[in-house]
Amino acid sequence: MSTMQEKRNIPDRLGTSTARLLGSWEMLLLGVAILIFIANAFASPYFLNAWNLSDATFNFTEKALVAFAMALLIIAGEIDLSVAAIIALASTAMGAAAQAGVGSFGLVMIGIGVGLGCGIVNGTLVSVLRLPSIVVTIGTMSLFRGIAYIVLGDKAYGGYPDSFAYFGQGYVFWVISFEFALFVVFAIGFAILLHATNFGRRIYAIGNNEFAARFSGIRVERIKFILFLLTGLMSGIAAICLTSRLGSTRPSIAQGWELEIVTMVVLGGISILGGSGRIGGVVIAAFVMGLVTFGLGLLNVPGIVMSIFIGLLLIVTITLPILIRQIRQRATA
Amino acid sequence: MIKYLLRYREILLVVIIAVLLAAFSTRSPGFARPANLSNIFNDTSILIILALGQMAVILTKSIDLSVAANVAFTGMAVAMLNAAYPGLPLIVILAAALGIGAVLGALNGILVWKLNIPSIVVTLGTLTIYRGMAFVLSGGGWVNAHQMTEPFLQTPRQIFLGLPLLGWTAILIVAAMYLVMSRTLLGRAIYASGGNPAAAVYAGIDVGRTRFLAFTISGTLAGLCGYLWVSRYAVAYVDIAAGFELDSVAACVIGGISTLGGIGSVAGAVLGSLFLGVIKNALPVINISPFSQMAISGAVIIAAVVFNARQERRRGRIILRDRGASEQIEGVT
C-alpha cells in the first residue's frame, strides 16, 4: 500500500530515485526487445532481411501513434477507451467521402477532422461536464462505432484514390515507410512535449495530485480537454494510415485496439494510476509488442491466441513491479 | 411531483419504460400484450442476471469488463462437456457452469484484492485471456444444437405459469440478490466499501476481501449465464456475447448505479436491463435497423452518466484511480 505513498512524493523528487527506477524499467524492456529480436532471427531464416523488418514495423506504428497521446492522458490520470471506435468512425467518414469523389487531401482533412471532433466530444464530457472518463469513453466507444455500423451495416467501403495509398503503403526512403517516419517524428514530438515543456510538467502535476495542481494555478480542466483533443487527433491520423494500408473500411475495423494501445502504454512503464512514466518506454514497448506479434505470426499462431499473450503481458507487466515491491518491503520490514 | 420522480430513479425508469411500451404499441398493437411482455422479459433475463453481478462489483467502486468473455468461455466449456458426455445430468452441468464462472471471477478478484491493481486493467486483460481460452478450448470450432442433449436445450424453455424457466431463473436471482444486498453483512459491506472505503475500514470491513467476493459473485452469475446463453441460442462458439460486457455496464448506469461506488439498487439494475431490453425488442417494430442498436446504447449510456452526475451533485471521481480511497485506507492500517 505504501507504494502509493511513494508515488505521491514524485513531484519534488523527479530526477532522483524515480528516474533511476524508470530507467531500469526501460533498460529491462530494451533487453526483452533484443531477446525477442534474436529469438525471431533464429526462428525464421527470412527474419533478418531489411524489407522483412520494415514490414514488421507496420504491426505497431499505427497503434503507437495513438499510444503516445494515450500515454499523456494516462499520466494525467484519465483514460480514453474510445480510440479504436474513433478510428472506425474516421475511416468510415473517409470511405463515404471517397465514394463521393473527394481527393486524397480532402480525405486526410476529413480523417483528422473526425478525430478532432470525437476528441472534442470526449473532452467536453470529461472536463466541462466533469464526468468520469472511463464510463464516458465506454459510452462514446459504442456511440462512435455504432454510428459506423449505422452508416455501413454489413457493407464495406473501398475505391480510395490511388494517391491515398501512400500514407499506409508508401516509402520515404529505401525501407523506411511513411508510417515509420511518422512514428519517429511523433515519438520525438511527444517526448519533447512531455519532457521539455511546461505543458508536460503540468501533465505530471495533474496526475500526481490533481488537487494540489489546481491550487498551484494549473488549469486542470483545460489541459485534460487538450489531451482528449490530442488523443482524438492521433486516432484520426492512425485511421488515415490504417485505411490507406488496408484500402477498405468495415465497421469492425481496428476492433479491440483500445486494449492493445493501453497495454502498450502500460508496458512502456506508464503508471496506470497516473503521474509517472516516459515516452521512451512507450517507444520500446511498441517495438516489443510489434516483434512479439510478428514473431508469433511467423510461427502461424492465430490472432485470438496472440490476444491471450497481449492480455497476459498487460497483467504480468503491472503485477511484477507490485509483487517485487511487496516482497522487498517484507524483506526490509 | 417531478422532483419526487427525479429523486427516485426506479420510479422514473418505470414511468419511462411504461411510456416507451405505450408509444411502441401505437405502432404495433400487439407490443404491450402480456404474451409479448413475457417474451421481452425472457429475452432480457440473461442481461438482468449479468447486470446484477456487475452491480455488486460497481457498488464496491470497481468494474468487471470480463463478464462477457466469462460467458463465452463457460458456455463453450459446458456445451463441450454436454456434447462429450451426454449422460451427465443437467445438475452437474449447472454446477460446472457456476464453478467455472466462480473461478474466473475469483481470479479477477484475487488480482484486485491482493495486488491492488485497478479493476479496469485486470478485467481488460482477463477479457482477452478468457475469450482466447475459449478459442484454445474449442480449437475455434462450434458446438451445434444436434450435439446437445434434450434436457440441456429444453429445460430453460419449459413454460411455467406463462413464463419460461429462463425468466423464472432471472426472477430467482433477482430475489436472491435483493436478499443478499439488503439483508446480509456482505451486502452492507459491499455498499460500505464503495460508498466510503475509509469509513468501511474503520467499521472493521475488509474492503479488498469484499471486492474479491463481489467479483466472485459476478463471475458465478456470468458462469450461469454461460449455460443459459448456449442453451437459449442452441449454439456455442468463441464470439458469443461479444461486447455484452458493455450492455451490463450500461444497464447498471441507466439504473442509477453510480460508477463512483456505493449508490444503487437491485431494482435499478433490473429496470436498467429492462429498458435496454424493451428498446432492443422495439427496434424491428419501429423499423430501425438493428445496426443502430450499438449507437443507441452508447448515447443512452452517456445520457445516463450525465444524468447520474447531476443527481449526485458532486465531482466525479474515476474508478480507474482509486487513490484518494487507498490513501485513506493506508492512513488507517
Side-chain angles (χ1 to χ4, degrees):
Chain A
M1 287 267 184
S2 63
T3 53
M4 309 262 176
Q5 202 85 43
E6 280 167 28
K7 270 186 196 121
R8 262 197 304 161
N9 292 335
I10 288 172
D12 43 54
R13 286 199 300 165
L14 265 186
T16 57
S17 64
T18 18
R20 238 179 292 142
L21 190 88
L22 285 169
S24 69
W25 174 256
E26 277 144 14
M27 292 315 286
L28 184 78
L29 211 56
L30 197 62
V32 171
I34 292 169
L35 275 181
I36 296 170
F37 189 85
I38 294 172
N40 272 335
F42 275 106
S44 163
Y46 309 107
F47 183 74
L48 283 179
N49 169 305
W51 286 102
N52 183 57
L53 291 177
S54 167
D55 277 352
T57 61
F58 285 107
N59 260 342
F60 63 80
T61 40
E62 291 142 5
K63 287 167 201 155
L65 289 178
V66 185
F68 294 146
M70 180 79 90
L72 268 52
L73 204 52
I74 292 182
I75 291 174
E78 300 287 341
I79 198 167
D80 187 349
L81 293 177
S82 71
V83 282
I86 297 178
I87 294 178
L89 186 57
S91 182
T92 305
M94 287 188 284
Q99 300 275 303
V102 175
S104 286
F105 180 74
L107 292 180
V108 169
M109 286 298 123
I110 287 169
I112 289 176
V114 171
L116 283 176
C118 294
I120 290 175
V121 172
N122 284 331
T124 308
L125 287 166
V126 173
S127 57
V128 178
L129 297 175
R130 308 204 169 184
L131 302 169
S133 61
I134 171 110
V135 200
V136 163
T137 55
I138 282 179
T140 52
M141 169 174 151
S142 37
L143 179 65
F144 296 154
R145 198 179 283 280
I147 295 173
Y149 268 104
I150 293 177
V151 174
L152 271 172
D154 50 5
K155 292 190 287 290
Y157 281 133
Y160 289 95
D162 291 339
S163 58
F164 187 65
Y166 179 77
F167 304 107
Q169 301 167 17
Y171 290 85
V172 176
F173 169 71
W174 191 43
V175 294
I176 308 293
S177 65
F178 174 78
E179 280 195 14
F180 190 73
L182 211 59
F183 166 79
V184 173
V185 168
F186 275 110
I188 295 170
F190 272 95
I192 292 172
L193 180 67
L194 183 61
H195 301 304
T197 66
N198 278 339
F199 186 77
R201 199 82 175 144
R202 288 183 183 138
I203 295 174
Y204 282 109
I206 294 172
N208 274 298
N209 192 336
E210 190 181 321
F211 205 58
R214 190 164 285 143
F215 274 101
S216 30
I218 294 174
R219 297 190 198 183
V220 174
E221 308 308 335
R222 190 202 226 173
I223 288 181
K224 282 187 181 171
F225 185 85
I226 294 172
L227 290 180
F228 275 102
L229 206 63
L230 205 57
T231 310
L233 170 71
M234 294 311 289
S235 308
I237 293 174
I240 295 167
C241 293
L242 180 64
T243 310
S244 155
R245 185 159 65 88
L246 299 180
S248 77
T249 299
R250 283 179 191 286
S252 62
I253 192 170
Q255 188 105 54
W257 275 28
E258 62 279 337
L259 173 71
E260 291 185 42
I261 290 166
V262 171
T263 308
M264 197 178 274
V265 172
V266 173
L267 185 66
I270 309 269
S271 164
I272 195 76
L273 303 166
S276 70
R278 300 180 70 81
I279 289 292
V282 180
V283 172
I284 305 172
F287 277 101
V288 169
M289 283 181 64
L291 287 170
V292 167
T293 46
F294 192 73
L296 291 174
L298 285 180
L299 298 173
N300 282 328
V301 174
I304 187 154
V305 177
M306 257 182 235
S307 70
I308 300 186
F309 283 94
I310 304 281
L312 278 176
L313 208 61
L314 175 67
I315 290 185
V316 170
T317 47
I318 297 182
T319 309
L320 265 184
I322 298 176
L323 266 183
I324 291 170
R325 242 173 273 159
Q326 279 187 356
I327 291 166
R328 256 188 217 160
Q329 266 161 29
R330 233 164 264 166
T332 50
Chain B
M1 179 65 186
I2 287 170
K3 264 193 179 164
Y4 178 81
L5 280 181
L6 285 177
R7 211 171 320 135
Y8 292 92
R9 169 64 63 95
E10 290 81 2
I11 298 173
L12 181 70
L13 265 175
V14 169
V15 172
I16 291 176
I17 292 173
V19 169
L20 280 178
L21 286 174
F24 292 140
S25 50
T26 60
R27 282 295 194 90
S28 147
F31 195 78
R33 222 176 273 150
N36 193 45
L37 290 184
S38 132
N39 243 339
I40 293 177
F41 183 81
N42 193 48
D43 210 41
T44 316
S45 295
I46 293 178
L47 179 59
I48 292 176
I49 299 174
L50 280 180
L52 286 170
Q54 186 71 262
M55 175 201 71
V57 173
I58 293 182
L59 280 176
T60 67
K61 233 183 177 90
S62 305
I63 196 163
D64 187 351
L65 295 179
S66 73
V67 282
N70 189 333
V71 167
F73 179 79
T74 314
M76 178 56 80
V78 293
M80 289 177 68
L81 198 64
N82 182 249
Y85 305 100
L88 277 183
L90 188 63
I91 190 85
V92 175
I93 299 269
L94 215 52
L98 291 169
I100 296 171
V103 168
L104 297 185
L107 217 60
N108 289 331
I110 285 277
L111 289 167
V112 171
W113 177 20
K114 290 296 178 192
L115 297 173
N116 216 15
I117 311 176
S119 55
I120 166 92
V121 184
V122 169
T123 54
L124 261 182
T126 52
L127 175 164
T128 50
I129 296 174
Y130 295 166
R131 206 174 276 281
M133 275 161 45
F135 178 87
V136 173
L137 187 70
S138 64
W142 292 42
V143 181
N144 291 307
H146 65 88
Q147 292 163 280
M148 300 174 189
T149 59
E150 271 301 286
F152 184 91
L153 277 178
Q154 294 305 327
T155 309
R157 292 168 213 265
Q158 296 300 317
I159 293 185
F160 177 70
L161 294 179
L163 188 68
L165 277 186
L166 174 60
W168 284 109
T169 312
I171 292 175
L172 189 75
I173 301 286
V174 170
M177 281 302 282
Y178 175 75
L179 288 179
V180 169
M181 297 312 294
S182 64
R183 296 280 181 275
T184 66
L185 280 177
L186 175 63
R188 298 321 295 168
I190 286 177
Y191 275 104
S193 305
N196 190 336
V201 171
Y202 278 117
I205 293 168
D206 187 336
V207 174
R209 183 170 163 275
T210 309
R211 285 191 179 142
F212 164 77
L213 290 173
F215 273 104
T216 311
I217 292 175
S218 169
T220 312
L221 292 179
L224 175 66
C225 290
Y227 162 67
L228 293 173
W229 188 291
V230 168
S231 157
R232 170 157 177 75
Y233 297 102
V235 63
Y237 55 96
V238 176
D239 281 331
I240 60 169
F244 214 64
E245 63 277 349
L246 296 183
D247 287 34
S248 76
V249 174
C252 288
V253 174
I254 295 165
I257 289 149
S258 164
T259 46
L260 313 176
I263 303 172
S265 68
V266 169
V270 173
L271 289 168
S273 309
L274 284 175
F275 177 85
L276 285 177
V278 168
I279 289 196
K280 184 180 159 207
N281 277 276
L283 287 182
V285 175
I286 52 175
N287 275 328
I288 292 181
S289 141
F291 286 117
S292 62
Q293 202 194 319
M294 194 179 197
I296 292 176
S297 318
V300 173
I301 295 177
I302 297 167
V305 178
V306 173
F307 189 79
N308 284 357
R310 280 279 151 85
Q311 240 181 348
E312 284 151 14
R313 286 218 183 89
R314 51 182 170 129
R315 172 80 175 85
R317 210 186 294 148
I318 49 176
I319 314 173
L320 176 71
R321 201 171 35 135
D322 199 6
R323 184 178 298 145
S326 5
E327 277 164 14
Q328 282 159 323
I329 295 169
E330 248 169 69
V332 178
T333 46

